[in-house]
């Protein structure tokens, strides 16, 4: 059984998709050991409570230094014996020590087809604003392993989504969530939990 920690900062619709996936049996061999938010007001924390999942707020603001925050985050993951850390809209840069210790055990959902519209500054609505400004016709979402860079780790799954002429960033964001994020994030977790994902030469190979 794969122990998950889901890290969130906001609404938690991707967290909800994971919870639903586990409850419906679409994700097997995995359970959520902890939901971690850096934001005490995140609705994601309510979602966890409603489903009886342990949740905690760990924010850099609660600590005197970044090192202390990093330590607290690492201690939480270690104490829950976490096998896979899922970044589901987590707006905090992870410390290198954590990424190294949890190499190929941290995944992230990003709302574009990486390597487009990713990297520093591209998060949430900004991604969709960028895509619309450039006039792309196809966008989508990506699940990838997290390495020391920003959105540079091995890509696990991608799902394309068509851009409509009338789209606003908000409309596009919603469609990308519905048609891509809420599908490929649970799918990636299920594949990992069932031993079907391996990384070779910096690339992900999936056993279907
Ligand atoms: C999601 O769209 C996710 O892809 C994005 O934040 C949103 C969180 O929504 N993440 C990034 O932009 C990371 N660079 P949620 O809290 O409803 O799951």
């Amino acid at each position: 059984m794969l122990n998950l920690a889901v890290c969130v900062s906001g609404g938690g619709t991707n967290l909800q998709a994971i919870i639903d996936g586990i409850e419906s049996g679409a994700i097997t061999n995995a359970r959520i050991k902890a939901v971690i938010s850096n934001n005490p007001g995140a609705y994601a924390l309510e979602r966890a409570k409603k489903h009886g999942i342990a949740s905690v707020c760990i924010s850099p603001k609660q600590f005197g230094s970044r090192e202390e925050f990093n330590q607290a985050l690492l201690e939480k993951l270690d104490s829950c014996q976490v096998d896979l850390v899922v970044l589901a809209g987590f707006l905090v840069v992870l410390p290198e020590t954590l990424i190294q210790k949890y190499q190929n055990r941290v995944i992230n959902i990003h709302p574009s087809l990486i390597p487009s519209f990713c990297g520093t500054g591209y998060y949430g609505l900004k991604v969709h604003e960028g895509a619309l400004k450039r006039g792309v016709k196809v966008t989508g979402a990506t699940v990838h392993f997290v390495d020391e860079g920003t959105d540079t780790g091995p890509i696990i799954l991608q799902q394309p989504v068509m851009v409509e002429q009338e789209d606003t960033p908000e409309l596009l964001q919603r469609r990308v969530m519905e048609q891509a994020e809420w599908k490929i994030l649970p799918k990636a977790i299920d594949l990992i939990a069932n031993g079907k994902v391996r990384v070779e030469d910096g690339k992900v190979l999936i056993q279907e």
Side-chain angles (χ1 to χ4, degrees):
M1 186 67 82
L2 197 78
N3 287 336
L4 309 176
V6 185
C7 298
V8 295
S9 297
T13 64
N14 279 287
L15 166 67
Q16 189 68 53
I18 300 167
I19 295 171
D20 293 347
I22 291 172
E23 289 183 353
S24 73
I27 300 174
T28 56
N29 286 329
R31 62 180 167 199
I32 303 177
K33 284 294 290 270
V35 169
I36 301 171
S37 173
N38 66 310
N39 166 15
Y43 185 66
L45 290 170
E46 296 300 316
R47 294 182 192 271
K49 269 186 215 127
K50 278 187 194 159
H51 290 265
I53 298 166
S55 61
V56 63
C57 177
I58 304 177
S59 161
K61 290 183 191 151
Q62 297 164 327
F63 300 91
S65 69
R66 195 72 188 192
E67 281 65 40
E68 286 173 55
F69 163 75
N70 293 345
Q71 194 55 36
L73 194 57
L74 203 54
E75 274 170 18
K76 179 71 193 167
L77 297 177
D78 289 347
S79 74
C80 293
Q81 296 178 310
V82 167
D83 302 305
L84 184 70
V85 181
V86 181
L87 307 183
F90 192 51
L91 302 179
V92 173
V93 176
L94 293 186
E96 264 186 31
T97 45
L98 193 157
I99 291 168
Q100 279 154 12
K101 186 165 184 190
Y102 282 79
Q103 204 197 13
N104 291 341
R105 291 195 291 150
V106 182
I107 65 171
N108 179 50
I109 177 82
H110 183 77
S112 76
L113 294 175
I114 290 175
S116 289
F117 309 108
C118 66
T120 308
Y122 278 117
Y123 57 88
L125 271 183
K126 295 222 185 306
V127 176
H128 305 294
E129 282 164 12
L132 290 178
K133 201 165 174 196
R134 186 63 187 81
V136 297
K137 307 301 180 223
V138 183
T139 183
T142 303
V143 183
H144 64 93
F145 283 112
V146 174
D147 65 8
E148 285 83 353
T150 307
D151 302 328
T152 52
I155 290 169
I156 306 166
L157 293 175
Q158 293 189 300
Q159 175 72 42
V161 172
M162 299 306 291
V163 177
E164 307 288 346
Q165 210 136 277
E166 314 71 44
D167 271 340
T168 60
E170 290 78 9
L171 283 172
L172 187 55
Q173 179 180 51
R174 181 77 196 176
R175 185 162 349 95
V176 168
M177 283 178 156
E178 281 174 358
Q179 294 184 4
E181 296 186 43
W182 302 339
K183 294 184 175 161
I184 61 173
L185 185 57
K187 173 85 181 158
I189 293 169
D190 182 60
L191 288 169
I192 293 168
N194 288 287
K196 294 189 171 163
V197 174
R198 67 176 206 277
V199 182
E200 235 178 67
D201 296 332
K203 277 189 263 180
V204 167
L205 299 176
I206 294 173
Q207 179 199 327
E208 291 296 347

